[in-house]
Amino acid sequence: MAFVLAGVSDTVSAKEDAKWLQWVTQQFETIAGENEEINLQEFKTALNVKEPFFAERFFALFDSDGSGTITLQELKEALNLLIHGNPMDKLKFLFQVYDIDGSGSIDADELRTVLQSCLRESAISLPEEKLDQLTLALFQSADKDCSGTITFDELRDELQRFPGVMENLTISAAHWLKPPTAQPRPYRPRPLTSAYWRNHRSQLLCLTAYVGLHVLLFALAASAHRALGVSVMVAKGCGQCLNFDCSLIAVLMLRRCLTWLRATWLAQVLPLDQNIQFHQLMGYVVVGLSLVHTVAHIVNFALRAQSESSPFQFWELLLTTRPGIGWVHGLASPTGVALLLLLLLMFVCSSPCIRRSGHFEVFYWTHLSYLPMWLLLILHGPNFWKWLLIPGTLFFLEKAIGLVVSRMTALCIVEVNLLPSKVTHLLIKRPPLFNYRPGDYLYLNIPTIARYEWHPFTISSAPEQRDTIWLHIRSQGQWTNRLYESFKASDPVGCGSKRLSRSLKMRRSQRRPQVSEMSLENHQFCNIKCYIDGPYGTPTRRIFASEHAVLIGAGIGITPFASILQSIMYRHQKRKHICPNCQHSWREGIQDDDMKLHKVDFIWINRNQKSFEWFVSLLTKLEMDQAEEPQEGRFLELHMYMTSALGKNDMKAIGLQMALDLLAKKEKKDSITGLQTRTQPGRPDWNKVFQKVAAEKKGKVQVFFCGSPALAKVLKGHCEQFSFKFFQENF
């Protein structure tokens, strides 16, 4: 039985109440067993809270006779009071939770104990001094008569100062047991909405053209062989479609060509940001057409083998060169079997369960089978080489250029910083001609970790930083874990005794200080050889051409936006002027040709408190930079969310959130991150977020997201509802 606080209306129909109480009764009987009573341990398990304090307090209040157990009747009486009681009854319940010794008032030590439990329940870690400050902030605000205790009336008055808290208390206390089943929402397929068609116009047009071309190719090839029977017509039609697909599928992964196309007008017409999705779609089509193509030939061979005029048996037609089928020494059948086996191997090893379960190497090496597949296709089909001529030339040119550029000069990892949540921050010496744009990514190879493996990572530094390239790498697979563990060792490879001298020399050569998050115990200076391939463009290149950009990063998904935010900071500093006489500072109001931003909303969602440390100094610098601007000139707004923290609609966090608000107003900074921006508990209410963005009317809104695919689906739905353009990192 899960006890949770839910925002439901006090006005509940008698029928719903009866149904709900029946569910509670069933759950109670399941836990209570034959004795029809629940003890404290069973109650703690049922309540499903991290901190036993709240379970013990709720148990004590529900156990009206003080017997040490809760009967079904006691549970019903307490819940009926919370459901049908007036707001004062619900406030009294909260007051009794805080009044630990039952004296009728709350002293400072009791409030501190409650807030400490609230912090643990929300997975927030603060120093003892900060806990004392929170306690004093809330206590002094509530203790109006300075008597040294908080009475019920004083707590009520304090809650009324926070309308949202008061409202959520009267709502959430009514139903804090929620049945597991919920009313299903009516489902409306997204492709049927006008907003979906409007936001996916280019993808749908390309998909329509792709399907139409396949129908045309199939029809032309099938009609040319209609005299040979249906099975041959199907095989030839599928074969012609496969000629097109197998020659084009690799072109969709030409990163240099795609990066170049992003800088042209074609980026507005072609769905370049969906190249990986189209590559995957084409892979499914190739597998499907290959199976149909194979089955059609098997049927044809079976019919030929049954014919009295055929000198060959079925297995000879299918597996040998004796029948002379094909344009190169009768190799069509054996190469066809080999192609199908290779294709199925690639298909299985490309599944998400392989790629995302720490076996990326399996996916990578089996995907290199495209080289022998192309060779077999040239031997298998007489016309495939014609289809491959142009795409294949582009492909091999890009690969050759990439190999030369990436291996031309070995670079050095000069600094490493191990951040919370197993994030490795690398600083790589920047090569002279490495020009990139904010949000771009590169492929990294570190021979000491894995000689032949290349992995893509977003560049988290701004292009204006001329000396080093920053990478923030989250440990999520075998390679990234090996990277983290290698630097976690006391003396990693390449970190010698002269590292401090090298670091000081490098720092003196830097033109300006950089924003970095350094901790002495996890900071190392190194000289480790590495290679990079890139840079490559992403959808975030469109940000500076946007009018109102909403940047949403989930966890380590902040990395492309860190580069963008730093670039914005550098550009603003470049436009800043200071009068030599009076030291008055001002900024040019003229925007860059490639920067049309009127407003930027940056939203960062983290599961835990430690993750904010990755870029907290960067965000602090941005806030300081914005504070120098007049109110009307501030176009950057930060929004921080911590999903593990309980919100104000939860009785186990109301006091804590009130204290955090009070202390933030007093100190002008957030207690969780140290930023001026208050960290909000829980997940964003996306409907409210986008309503606020739409109401600001700062120009055409474009939403850029980097994070989990599950959240991407949610955001896509909301963007379609508000007609916002949505872009997602896909590399």
Side-chain angles (χ1 to χ4, degrees), residues 141-407:
S141 178
D143 184 19
K144 299 295 190 300
D145 59 2
C146 298
S147 62
T149 58
I150 300 174
T151 63
F152 172 78
D153 292 336
E154 288 175 330
L155 180 63
R156 179 198 59 203
D157 294 341
E158 184 65 21
L159 284 169
Q160 288 175 343
R161 291 183 55 204
F162 298 83
V165 174
M166 187 73 176
E167 179 186 359
N168 284 322
L169 175 65
T170 57
I171 291 174
S172 63
H175 276 179
W176 59 300
L177 272 171
K178 184 180 179 182
T181 56
Q183 293 293 331
R185 296 178 62 184
Y187 175 74
R188 184 185 182 190
R190 288 194 304 159
L192 299 182
T193 62
S194 59
Y196 180 88
W197 288 87
R198 185 166 55 252
N199 290 333
H200 298 80
R201 189 183 300 112
S202 60
Q203 296 98 301
L204 295 171
L205 288 175
C206 283
L207 189 60
T208 302
Y210 177 73
V211 173
L213 183 60
H214 275 63
V215 172
L216 179 62
L217 290 174
F218 186 94
L220 291 175
S223 62
H225 298 83
R226 59 181 178 273
L228 300 177
V230 175
S231 61
V232 176
M233 291 174 63
V234 172
K236 294 297 183 180
C238 291
Q240 190 73 318
C241 293
L242 285 168
N243 283 335
F244 172 76
D245 287 329
C246 293
S247 61
L248 189 66
I249 190 169
V251 175
L252 295 174
M253 303 306 292
L254 298 182
R255 296 183 290 271
R256 277 187 170 77
C257 291
L258 291 173
T259 301
W260 175 79
L261 286 174
R262 289 180 193 277
T264 68
W265 61 271
L266 289 172
Q268 306 297 326
V269 180
L270 299 175
L272 301 179
D273 301 333
Q274 282 73 41
N275 66 304
I276 293 180
Q277 286 89 333
F278 274 98
H279 175 81
Q280 293 171 337
L281 171 65
M282 199 171 285
Y284 288 118
V285 172
V286 167
V287 172
L289 289 174
S290 299
L291 292 174
V292 175
H293 177 78
T294 302
V295 170
H297 272 309
I298 289 174
V299 171
N300 179 47
F301 291 161
L303 294 175
R304 288 180 60 179
Q306 292 175 1
S307 173
E308 295 180 357
S309 59
S310 175
F312 304 107
Q313 298 183 21
F314 173 74
W315 67 271
E316 291 178 309
L317 292 168
L318 185 63
L319 301 174
T320 68
T321 60
R322 287 186 60 197
I325 302 172
W327 73 300
V328 180
H329 304 296
L331 286 172
S333 293
T335 55
V337 174
L339 281 167
L340 186 62
L341 293 175
L342 274 177
L343 181 63
L344 292 177
L345 177 66
M346 288 179 67
F347 179 73
V348 171
C349 294
S350 300
S351 60
C353 63
I354 297 291
R355 287 185 289 113
R356 297 173 184 171
S357 60
H359 298 89
F360 178 83
E361 297 85 351
V362 176
F363 161 77
Y364 176 78
W365 289 109
T366 55
H367 235 60
L368 292 179
S369 300
Y370 67 82
L371 292 172
M373 280 191 69
W374 275 349
L375 178 61
L376 290 171
L377 281 167
I378 291 172
L379 298 175
H380 180 76
N383 295 315
F384 179 72
W385 69 270
K386 301 174 185 177
W387 289 87
L388 184 63
L389 190 59
I390 295 177
T393 302
L394 284 175
F395 183 84
F396 284 108
L397 277 176
E398 169 149 327
K399 289 297 181 183
I401 293 172
L403 184 63
V404 171
V405 171
S406 62
R407 292 293 186 181

Side-chain angles (χ1 to χ4, degrees), residues 360-361 364-365 368 403 407 443-455 479 482 531:
F360 178 83
E361 297 85 351
Y364 176 78
W365 289 109
L368 292 179
L403 184 63
R407 292 293 186 181
Y443 276 77
L444 175 67
N445 169 256
I446 304 177
T448 56
I449 304 298
R451 182 176 297 274
Y452 300 108
E453 290 188 32
W454 293 78
H455 294 270
W479 189 91
R482 287 203 303 268
Y531 298 94

